Amino acid sequence: MKFVADTMLGKLAKWLRILGYDTLYQSYYRPGVIDRVMKEDRFLLSRHKETVDQYTNALLLDAGRVGEQLSDLKRAIPLKPDQSNWFSRCLICNTLLKEAKEDKAQGNIPEYVFYQNIKGIRFCPSCGRYYWPGSHRTKMMDQLREWGFIR
Ligand SMILES: [Zn+2]
């Protein structure tokens, strides 16, 4: 399942990426861009009825809060995110993360992380951002549990 999230759905796009879904998102789409990416067999999520009406694989999201948007999405399509894919994508640019090489990671992440979690450090080959398991991720897991993604 691949998504394209329309403008105003940046937070939802981030959470779908956390759950491992390939999710395109831009805060602005030039005319024709959504048309083009919908040919990649994506599912469109939008807050604009006029946009949703143009496609068959599309869902209108009325809710303003990301938690409600996710539960509306779960009600509309069978969303069963595979936990082994969680935290596998860059939250900023959607690229699949890669294992970070030890020598490259050092200097790009806080020193304490480097010494504690060297196994879990990944980086985005596209934008260069580094990711590691830590308190930030624990908070995300708590949120996913609250939304019913973890039983
Ligand atoms: Zn990136």
Side-chain angles (χ1 to χ4, degrees):
M1 191 95 208
K2 295 191 290 182
F3 296 99
V4 51
D6 200 0
T7 55
M8 298 168 69
L9 291 174
K11 274 197 182 150
L12 179 64
K14 187 191 93 172
W15 280 100
L16 287 170
R17 287 170 182 170
I18 290 169
L19 292 167
Y21 291 105
D22 179 341
T23 307
L24 295 181
Y25 172 74
Q26 290 170 213
S27 54
Y28 169 73
Y29 289 95
R30 271 178 301 181
V33 171
I34 289 184
D35 259 350
R36 184 164 50 76
V37 300
M38 285 302 282
K39 291 190 181 113
E40 299 168 3
D41 208 17
R42 290 182 183 271
F43 192 93
L44 174 72
L45 303 167
S46 179
R47 300 202 65 193
H48 308 285
K49 193 177 181 305
E50 322 78 72
T51 311
V52 168
D53 286 346
Q54 294 172 46
Y55 305 96
T56 44
N57 291 330
L59 178 67
L60 180 68
L61 293 171
D62 286 317
R65 287 171 171 273
V66 68
E68 293 166 40
Q69 292 167 351
L70 274 169
S71 59
D72 288 348
L73 178 57
K74 276 202 283 187
R75 260 195 299 277
I77 59 169
L79 198 65
K80 289 204 177 71
D82 181 347
Q83 201 162 342
S84 64
N85 293 330
W86 293 9
F87 305 103
S88 64
R89 284 182 183 276
C90 180
L91 304 187
I92 308 300
C93 73
N94 193 41
T95 306
L96 278 172
L97 302 177
K98 291 192 166 170
E99 290 292 318
K101 292 242 167 41
E102 206 170 312
D103 54 332
K104 292 263 174 62
Q106 202 169 20
N108 281 298
I109 57 169
E111 204 163 334
Y112 74 93
V113 175
F114 183 77
Y115 289 109
Q116 282 173 3
N117 299 306
I118 186 63
K119 292 270 178 329
I121 301 169
R122 294 178 182 184
F123 79 104
C124 171
S126 178
C127 74
R129 205 182 148 94
Y130 278 77
Y131 292 87
W132 57 87
S135 58
H136 192 57
R137 188 175 297 183
T138 309
K139 275 189 206 137
M140 289 173 174
M141 291 295 274
D142 288 346
Q143 182 64 80
L144 290 171
R145 191 171 291 113
E146 201 178 298
W147 286 336
F149 284 100
I150 306 167
R151 269 170 230 139

